[in-house]
Amino acid sequence: MCSRYSLTCAPIDLVNRYGLTAPPRAPLPIPEIRPTDPAPVKGRKGVLLRKHFGIPSPRDGKPLLNARAETLTEKPTFRRLLGSRVLVPATAYYEWRKDGKARHRNTIIPGSGNGDGDGTALFSFAGLVDGDYFAIITCAPAPSIAGIHDRMPVILPREAEDAWISDLPFEAVADLLRPWAGTIAAAEDAPAAPAAPPAPPDLFS
């Protein structure tokens, strides 16, 4: 799944990258976007929309952060949104690798074909919007990060972004929902250093 991501760029970067007619209103940069946080998404018009991350579940209201690409046409919650497709700008996303009871955070950035992988180049997740809320579509992981998690967000090739947010029927763009084919950089946070033992008392002072 994808529950945290970053957008660490300047407003002008978004304007240039997405051909916006107006600068985004969201304060930037955003080091970590969490569930229910407001974040910019781009639809068919040349402006960014400010939506909240996570579509409220019709059952209990909890935010649905992700939509599985394989079952979009089967789940009523997402099937009705297949014509409400958006781009979700990002510069990295975070995933936690499980090791027994421990969880290790990884910062993941697509490289080849979508920027230089230095954590500042913009790329786009495939998303769906419902009113004031959005969800990120996920798929099977690319082989290089399968050891971190068994899902990854759909990262769209830049040349496919216009098609995803066009008025084409979903069947015409469904094939875009696949693992990232370029290189991916994943950096795991170093474990916290153990606390130093307290110094022994000075008995001779």
Side-chain angles (χ1 to χ4, degrees), residues 68-70 72 124-126 137-143 151-160 164 170 172-182 184:
R68 295 176 69 94
E70 300 88 342
L72 285 177
S124 303
F125 299 130
I137 300 174
T138 66
C139 61
R151 304 291 294 175
M152 73 173 296
V154 172
I155 300 169
L156 294 167
R158 187 164 181 170
E159 63 271 15
W164 176 250
F170 175 72
V173 295
D175 189 52
L176 299 176
L177 305 179
R178 54 181 182 267
W180 177 248
I184 299 178

Side-chain angles (χ1 to χ4, degrees), residues 11-35:
I12 190 61
D13 297 327
L14 284 170
V15 171
N16 294 335
R17 172 66 170 76
Y18 293 100
L20 304 179
T21 57
R25 296 181 180 178
L28 293 169
I30 312 174
E32 187 169 346
I33 296 168
R34 300 167 177 257

Side-chain angles (χ1 to χ4, degrees), residues 93 108-118 123 142-145 152 155 179-186:
Y93 77 96
I108 301 174
I109 303 170
S112 177
N114 224 355
D116 55 14
D118 66 355
F123 60 89
S144 60
I145 57 171
M152 73 173 296
I155 300 169
W180 177 248
T183 60
I184 299 178

Side-chain angles (χ1 to χ4, degrees), residues 77 117 134 179:
T77 300
F134 72 94

Side-chain angles (χ1 to χ4, degrees), residues 4-167:
R4 310 280 178 89
Y5 68 97
S6 66
L7 187 57
T8 52
C9 65
I12 190 61
D13 297 327
L14 284 170
V15 171
N16 294 335
R17 172 66 170 76
Y18 293 100
L20 304 179
T21 57
R25 296 181 180 178
L28 293 169
I30 312 174
E32 187 169 346
I33 296 168
R34 300 167 177 257
T36 74
D37 283 353
V41 301
K42 184 179 185 294
R44 295 171 193 167
K45 297 181 180 180
V47 296
L48 290 180
L49 307 172
R50 199 162 183 249
K51 306 291 184 180
H52 291 270
F53 182 25
I55 296 173
S57 167
R59 290 184 298 176
D60 55 17
K62 293 181 179 179
L64 301 173
L65 308 176
N66 301 145
R68 295 176 69 94
E70 300 88 342
T71 58
L72 285 177
T73 59
E74 301 169 16
K75 302 291 186 180
T77 300
F78 299 118
R79 184 173 59 219
R80 64 186 176 84
L81 303 176
L82 295 180
S84 301
R85 305 187 298 263
V86 294
L87 305 176
V88 182
T91 49
Y93 77 96
Y94 306 108
E95 196 57 81
W96 281 259
R97 179 180 64 84
K98 292 183 179 179
D99 182 12
K101 294 183 178 181
R103 299 172 77 241
H104 306 277
R105 193 177 87 154
N106 284 260
T107 301
I108 301 174
I109 303 170
S112 177
N114 224 355
D116 55 14
D118 66 355
T120 60
L122 284 155
F123 60 89
S124 303
F125 299 130
L128 297 174
V129 69
D130 183 12
D132 291 329
Y133 308 94
F134 72 94
I136 293 171
I137 300 174
T138 66
C139 61
S144 60
I145 57 171
I148 298 173
H149 201 276
D150 62 358
R151 304 291 294 175
M152 73 173 296
V154 172
I155 300 169
L156 294 167
R158 187 164 181 170
E159 63 271 15
E161 292 175 353
D162 287 344
W164 176 250
I165 58 175
S166 72
D167 58 2

